[in-house]
Amino acid sequence: MNIIEQLDKEQAEALAAKRETPEFSPGDTVKVWVKVREGSRERLQAYEGVVIARAGSGITENFTVRKISYGEGVERVFPIYSPNIDRIEVLRRGKVRRAKLYYLRDRRGKSARIFESTNARTKKIQETEREAAAEARAQREKEREEAAQALAAEKAAEEAAAAEAKAAEEAAAAQAAEAEAPAEEETKSE
């Protein structure tokens, strides 16, 4: 392994650690969430279609997604480790026997259908994805609960401080009233 391949592998591992990429292959229907910059704002845009090819290796690996938009076929190539991709969701696993599905370009309607895969590998992948999604959901719920508890504690502290300030204010008003009362009595006695 030469130094370029080694650096390439290290960079791919570092980028893979930042964002988890699901396991998908040609024939799968995916939804790619792309970051779109419009002036100073940034938003996410979904691009949903069938993966017709995967090419390259390491940091230069990419995949092609094809969809039909307003009756016209549209293909888009995404680098797997692109910073412009927020996440990739696999919607369906396709059952195909080729690595490149370029023949779909010439087909329309029923002949362009890809059947859903139901083999053991697909079931295993879906099971692990479900478990990961459940863990992520539990983590989000835990974070929400912690945030709600922190907010409740913060509000309780604010209310206690407000009650303390009000009590101090009332005590000061009572002391002022007591100080004024003897002064009034002295003026009445004169």
Side-chain angles (χ1 to χ4, degrees):
M1 179 187 288
N2 66 22
I3 190 124
I4 294 174
E5 290 173 352
Q6 186 178 353
L7 290 172
D8 190 35
K9 184 178 177 184
E10 289 173 5
Q11 286 293 317
E13 288 172 357
L15 290 170
K18 288 182 185 176
R19 184 187 75 227
E20 192 174 318
T21 304
E23 198 174 317
F24 65 94
S25 58
D28 295 350
T29 302
V30 297
K31 187 183 282 189
V32 183
W33 292 90
V34 184
K35 295 176 185 173
V36 178
R37 286 178 194 85
E38 295 171 336
S40 61
R41 292 180 20 196
E42 187 175 286
R43 65 181 176 86
L44 293 178
Q45 184 178 33
Y47 189 89
E48 185 179 331
V50 177
V51 176
I52 62 168
R54 277 186 81 152
S57 64
I59 202 162
T60 61
E61 187 176 1
N62 60 54
F63 61 101
T64 306
V65 180
R66 179 178 176 81
K67 74 173 186 176
I68 305 298
S69 180
Y70 298 102
E72 200 67 36
V74 180
E75 292 181 8
R76 192 163 171 189
V77 179
F78 296 101
I80 288 204
Y81 299 111
S82 171
N84 291 331
I85 294 178
D86 185 58
R87 65 185 182 276
I88 301 168
E89 296 173 5
V90 180
L91 305 177
R92 275 182 59 208
R93 304 264 174 204
K95 183 179 181 182
V96 294
R97 295 192 283 180
R98 294 169 186 246
K100 307 285 193 248
L101 305 179
Y102 298 138
Y103 68 89
L104 290 177
R105 293 173 177 164
D106 301 327
R107 301 207 176 170
R108 300 282 178 267
K110 277 188 174 181
S111 64
R113 252 187 329 197
I114 295 175
F115 294 100
E116 194 161 357
S117 177
T118 57
N119 61 16
R121 178 180 173 271
T122 302
K123 288 179 183 174
K124 181 181 172 188
I125 291 170
Q126 288 175 341
E127 186 177 311
T128 56
E129 286 176 351
R130 258 189 244 111
E131 289 172 0
E135 288 175 9
R137 203 170 21 255
Q139 181 68 25
R140 283 194 304 268
E141 190 63 34
K142 184 180 176 185
E143 288 173 0
R144 279 193 202 120
E145 287 176 8
E146 289 173 355
Q149 289 173 352
L151 183 63
E154 188 178 306
K155 281 193 175 188
E158 286 177 6
E159 289 173 1
E164 198 174 291
K166 188 175 181 182
E169 209 175 275
E170 289 174 358
Q175 284 179 351
E178 287 176 11
E180 287 178 15
E184 286 178 14
E185 288 177 10
E186 287 176 12
T187 54
K188 287 183 183 177
S189 60
E190 289 176 4

